[in-house]
Amino acid sequence: MASNISDELRKAAVAFHRYPTPGKLEIQATKPLSTQRDLALAYSPGVAAACEAIAENEELAAELTIRQNLVGVISNGTAVLGLGNIGPLASKPVMEGKAVLFKKFAGIDVFDIEIAATEPDRVVEVVAALEPTFGGINLEDIKAPECFEIEEKLKARMKIPVFHDDQHGTAIIVAAAIVNALELAEKRIEDVKIVTSGAGAAATACLNLLVSMGARKENIWATDIEGVIYEGRNTLMNPWTGIYAQPTDKRTLGEVIEGADIFLGVSAGNVLKPEMAKLMAEKPLILALANPVPEIMPDLAREVRPDAMICTGRSDFPNQVNNVLCFPFIFRGALDVGASTINEEMKQAAVKAIAALAREASSDVVARAYGGDTIPFGPESLIPNPFDPRLILRIAPAVARAAMESGVARRPIADFDAYDDRLSRFVYRSGFVMKPIFAAAKEQPKCVIYAEGEDERTLRAAQVVIEEGIARPVLIGRPSVIETRLKRFGLSIKAGQDFKIVNPEDDPRYRDYVSLYLERAGRHGVTPDLARTIVRTDATVIAALSVLRGEADAMICGLEGRYPNHLSTIDDVLGKREGVSDYAAVSLLITTRGALFITDTYVSLEPTAMQIAEKARLGAEVVRRFGLEPKVALLSHANFGSRASGTAGKMRDALAILTAQEPGLEVDGEMNADLALSQELRDRVLPSSRLKGEANLLVMPDLDAAKIASQLVAAMDGSLPIGPILVGAAHPAQIVTSTTTVRGLVNVTSLAVMEAQTRSEG
């Protein structure tokens, strides 16, 4: 029953769950509770009004309570991941994890509920009694065949969606892969032969969904640990798998695999032997979903069947079948129309949406943001990447429409354009913003040199960067100090094996570095004696020289010392990008409203109109790196000429310059910050504004405004800060700050790698 994970990952995972607060969830109030009136409205006596309204009309619960955005993730712990029947309490970390995925990917709130009951009727009674609490129920990790009976009875009793993800989540993604594989192979679902290895919850649900889509039962051959499921078999049989029993004297997988168009493995590793794969039909689809060892390894399958299309459950191979592809978004669509169930029409709509997304061609911006050279639709791209942000934009509306058309939607969506816009704004909140950057970094990791290599944060970030495959770190520091601190902090990475060290006290390239530094900074007051001292003692200089010489692709500095000093060094050694007159720092804040970029937060005290226009252009480049189209607001104390002050005039001049230089850029100003973030307010002042919707790039008139605004938003909104992101340097270089966390350092590393990739391509 022991899980197959390394000791290092085991320790890290336990610490992750323990600190700084036990578990992965908390409950937060969504209304202010700071005054007596707030309390009177939230609780006694005001709450009675909401109670009475719901008593008169139950549908108002969706408007007056959290219920319609609240899902119960429920398990009895009888089939937890690959751990088996470990019980309800031990399943709680998994259920909390599922809750986090719901919130992260679809903005759905969750209460995880672990039930100490194994008898199906007892589970049904407990869950059914919870109906007033939830808008939907996600059953999780309940063993077969009890899971079939439990879900069946709950769906019959409850008027809210009940969805066993282990069954239907897997089935939907498998069906999407099959739809696309059949298209590529030019086959029809009505004609194909399907063979399974495994006949549990997931396999049975897959077959049921495929039958509803047109597959014929007489073409389906199911096998399990006892062999072929045939008519008259008594061992390990139940009503749900029995419907696929065949009238045959064949008894093994090897006997029924010949001529199969589709192999569906939801069983155990290495059960599909190469000689079996050889017997399959032309252009077969092999779904080897056992984890961590598939029913057949993809490389082995390709050896014997180069024409095969292959899916696994693993993230290190193409075509990963991962339930996170669908379950959050199916619930999102179902909850948003108040669906009473998740029916076959809704599941099929999800299948079609996922399959269609895999066939979509990405725009250049999205393709670059989500992993560099994306694999076009084909045998190695049958289903989308689990982190594709477009999943929610395709699946949720498709499911909502299907619910409406099939008559199970209690609150139909009247305006799908507005609904799509709301989903789009959600997509770029929280971790979704960084997903494309991490994906791009992992595609082609670059060498990143860290100036403060002895700092604990650098060492911990290096551990993450190495484990995640984001970059190849080089640390500047004394080897003995780095080794001692690695041991003190319990880190497993090793110098020379996982990362390189540049020792400033003993570097064989010292003379070359001094010579190059004199060449770059000699006319900036640097004498030969001073150069020799600086190259021994200034880690930022060493990092910059390494990048200039091509020994590193990007540099990160700033954990120690002042920002202007680091920037001065970068300017001396690396210089500015061609065509750029000055640097700029863009701070990204992941707020509750979405991604908000602010410039210039660290460089220019009082920029001119020309510099502001340039900073806006450079900031727009940063926004596009994240797969977003920039919406730029030039901020001021004045609104569109309402005051004739110097700073307002400067922002007006910057708009004119910017409009002339980039006529296609969506930008307007000068304006107040509240107008920048509200179309409604802006329409009252200037209905003809070129800026539409909410601005995502705020360009400030001076450094004071930029710094104060970014820090104020971060403090009051609880935003996640990313950056500052330095733009304008001739080579990839980033300056962090003394308050940067390990997580922040990892984020900046991925940004530096992505920039280095772009420079090498250009």
Side-chain angles (χ1 to χ4, degrees):
M1 191 180 75
S3 55
N4 184 26
I5 61 176
S6 67
D7 288 342
E8 173 63 34
L9 185 58
R10 185 184 302 276
K11 291 176 184 176
V14 170
F16 176 86
H17 284 78
R18 178 175 288 140
Y19 303 111
T21 303
K24 298 187 286 278
L25 301 172
E26 67 177 3
I27 295 174
Q28 291 186 341
T30 59
K31 300 294 191 294
L33 295 170
S34 54
T35 69
Q36 183 61 41
R37 180 169 175 77
D38 291 340
L39 293 174
L41 293 170
Y43 199 57
S44 181
V47 71
C51 295
E52 290 168 345
I54 295 171
E56 292 177 9
N57 179 3
E58 290 186 354
E59 291 300 315
L60 289 177
E63 301 175 23
L64 303 179
T65 74
I66 193 179
R67 182 176 188 253
Q68 205 51 46
N69 197 54
L70 185 63
V71 165
V73 170
I74 299 178
S75 178
N76 64 359
T78 52
V80 181
L81 298 177
L83 303 175
N85 186 357
I86 60 175
L89 187 57
S91 78
K92 190 170 181 63
V94 178
M95 301 311 116
E96 285 188 0
K98 196 66 177 273
V100 169
L101 294 179
F102 266 110
K103 187 66 173 179
K104 193 76 167 179
F105 285 92
I108 294 171
D109 295 299
V110 165
F111 288 154
D112 66 287
I113 296 178
E114 293 73 35
I115 300 173
T118 56
E119 305 82 3
D121 285 342
R122 177 81 187 284
V123 175
V124 169
E125 287 302 321
V126 171
V127 177
L130 296 171
E131 183 169 353
T133 302
F134 297 109
I137 298 293
N138 183 96
L139 299 174
E140 192 78 14
D141 291 353
I142 301 173
K143 74 181 182 74
E146 289 88 339
C147 61
F148 302 120
E149 180 182 350
I150 289 168
E151 186 191 42
E152 201 172 86
K153 288 182 176 180
L154 286 173
K155 290 183 76 168
R157 287 181 57 171
M158 303 178 78
K159 297 178 181 178
I160 59 174
V162 177
F163 188 84
H164 185 211
D165 183 47
D166 301 319
Q167 293 183 55
H168 308 298
T170 302
I172 287 166
I173 304 157
V174 163
I178 288 173
V179 166
N180 282 341
L182 293 182
E183 178 178 313
L184 291 172
E186 298 181 338
K187 299 177 182 179
R188 300 191 317 152
I189 195 169
E190 296 88 350
D191 303 328
V192 295
K193 178 179 179 180
I194 302 169
V195 175
T196 80
S197 173
T204 303
C206 290
L207 296 178
N208 291 344
L209 182 56
L210 292 173
V211 168
S212 77
M213 294 171 61
R216 295 176 178 168
K217 288 183 181 178
E218 58 265 30
N219 293 338
I220 294 172
W221 298 78
T223 72
D224 61 11
I225 196 170
E226 290 290 322
V228 173
I229 293 176
Y230 60 89
E231 289 183 359
R233 196 181 105 172
N234 297 316
T235 308
L236 292 182
M237 295 295 290
N238 62 66
W240 295 275
T241 57
I243 60 174
Y244 295 106
Q246 290 276 21
T248 180
D249 58 0
K250 296 178 180 180
R251 294 294 182 264
T252 67
L253 174 62
E255 291 178 278
V256 297
I257 194 68
E258 185 174 359
D261 299 279
I262 298 168
F263 169 79
L264 172 59
V266 198
S267 55
N270 300 319
V271 299
L272 182 67
K273 305 302 180 185
E275 56 270 24
M276 297 180 188
K278 281 184 180 179
L279 299 174
M280 294 181 70
E282 182 183 359
K283 295 181 181 178
L285 172 62
I286 297 174
L287 294 140
L289 307 184
N291 247 331
V293 181
E295 282 78 5
I296 185 170
M297 292 299 293
D299 52 349
L300 187 57
R302 287 195 184 89
E303 265 184 42
V304 296
R305 292 305 303 261
D307 61 335
M309 292 169 275
I310 306 166
C311 299
T312 71
R314 291 172 45 151
S315 61
D316 53 345
F317 293 109
N319 295 321
Q320 182 193 12
V321 175
N322 186 331
N323 286 12
V324 80
L325 269 165
C326 70
F327 74 81
F329 317 121
I330 289 172
F331 269 98
R332 182 71 281 160
L335 295 176
D336 289 340
V337 294
S340 58
T341 187
I342 294 176
N343 56 26
E344 288 301 306
E345 293 86 347
M346 294 160 75
K347 287 188 280 186
Q348 290 187 26
V351 170
K352 293 174 184 174
I354 294 169
L357 179 56
R359 297 193 295 268
E360 280 189 35
S362 298
S363 69
D364 291 342
V365 170
V366 172
R368 175 62 200 155
Y370 286 87
D373 296 328
T374 55
I375 302 174
F377 173 62
E380 293 197 346
S381 186
L382 298 174
I383 45 182
N385 184 291
F387 295 113
D388 193 318
R390 297 170 296 173
L391 285 163
I392 191 172
L393 305 179
R394 303 293 185 273
I395 299 174
V399 169
R401 289 183 189 277
M404 291 163 57
E405 292 168 2
S406 60
V408 298
R410 290 193 294 263
R411 294 186 312 282
I413 294 171
D415 185 346
F416 267 92
D417 287 338
Y419 181 60
D420 291 343
D421 182 64
R422 178 161 65 88
L423 293 177
S424 295
R425 281 188 278 116
F426 169 79
V427 164
Y428 292 103
R429 295 178 189 171
S430 194
F432 275 110
V433 173
M434 287 305 299
K435 288 297 180 187
I437 308 300
F438 284 124
K442 291 177 182 180
E443 281 286 314
Q444 189 184 359
K446 295 290 186 179
C447 179
V448 177
I449 188 165
Y450 298 81
E452 295 87 8
E454 296 176 2
D455 191 287
E456 178 183 354
R457 290 167 292 178
T458 299
L459 297 173
R460 292 190 181 278
Q463 175 93 33
V464 176
V465 162
I466 291 165
E467 287 179 351
E468 296 295 323
I470 294 169
R472 304 190 306 275
V474 176
L475 309 186
I476 299 175
R478 294 160 292 177
S480 59
V481 174
I482 291 175
E483 183 64 27
T484 299
R485 292 182 178 178
L486 287 174
K487 291 179 180 177
R488 183 194 307 167
F489 304 139
L491 301 175
S492 62
I493 54 175
K494 300 185 187 312
Q497 177 178 314
D498 301 307
F499 66 93
K500 296 179 181 178
I501 293 178
V502 172
N503 182 1
E505 296 178 347
D506 183 20
D507 190 335
R509 301 163 300 181
Y510 172 71
R511 292 182 183 277
D512 294 336
Y513 274 33
V514 170
S515 176
L516 182 57
Y517 184 52
L518 271 172
E519 179 185 323
R520 302 293 291 185
R523 293 186 179 275
H524 295 201
V526 177
T527 65
D529 285 342
L530 182 57
R532 283 189 284 272
T533 301
I534 289 175
V535 173
R536 280 271 192 238
T537 59
D538 193 323
T540 300
V541 169
I542 297 171
L545 291 170
S546 295
V547 172
L548 187 64
R549 284 164 54 98
E551 294 161 351
D553 300 303
M555 64 169 286
I556 296 175
C557 60
L559 288 175
E560 300 169 7
R562 297 173 61 243
Y563 193 98
N565 294 346
H566 291 289
L567 183 59
S568 177
T569 295
I570 288 171
D571 190 39
D572 285 346
V573 178
L574 300 179
K576 300 179 185 70
R577 201 171 86 193
E578 185 177 351
V580 172
S581 66
D582 197 10
Y583 305 94
V586 182
S587 292
L588 168 57
L589 299 169
I590 312 300
T591 74
T592 54
R593 299 170 67 99
L596 186 66
F597 298 81
I598 299 176
T599 190
D600 166 20
T601 51
Y602 277 87
V603 179
S604 301
L605 286 170
E606 295 183 353
T608 65
M610 185 68 74
Q611 287 174 322
I612 285 171
E614 181 177 74
K615 291 175 189 296
R617 289 201 316 276
L618 293 172
E621 290 180 10
V622 173
V623 175
R624 292 189 185 104
R625 282 186 214 169
F626 289 84
L628 296 164
E629 282 303 319
K631 293 176 175 288
V632 187
L634 306 179
L635 298 192
S636 170
H637 66 279
N639 278 320
F640 307 112
S642 64
R643 295 188 67 174
S645 66
T647 55
K650 180 174 70 172
M651 301 308 277
R652 284 197 297 275
D653 293 343
L655 176 65
I657 296 167
L658 197 53
T659 302
Q661 292 174 338
E662 285 207 33
L665 185 64
E666 189 174 332
V667 57
D668 211 340
E670 80 283 14
M671 71 177 77
N672 291 172
D674 56 349
L675 267 65
L677 300 176
S678 171
Q679 175 83 49
E680 181 183 356
L681 292 178
R682 197 162 56 250
D683 285 346
R684 295 178 192 173
V685 177
L686 190 71
S688 61
S689 173
R690 293 175 55 193
L691 180 63
K692 303 301 178 186
E694 294 185 14
N696 55 20
L697 174 59
L698 305 183
V699 182
M700 299 294 177
D702 56 41
L703 186 60
D704 282 342
K707 196 73 171 286
I708 292 168
S710 63
Q711 292 178 343
L712 202 58
V713 170
M716 297 188 69
D717 185 77
S719 305
L720 170 65
I722 295 175
I725 304 164
L726 181 67
V727 289
H731 299 269
Q734 292 299 326
I735 307 171
V736 295
T737 69
S738 60
T739 59
T740 298
T741 63
V742 173
R743 181 181 183 185
L745 203 52
V746 172
N747 287 337
V748 171
T749 300
S750 63
L751 286 163
V753 169
M754 188 178 183
E755 183 184 2
Q757 291 171 344
T758 304
R759 298 290 184 93
S760 63
E761 291 169 3

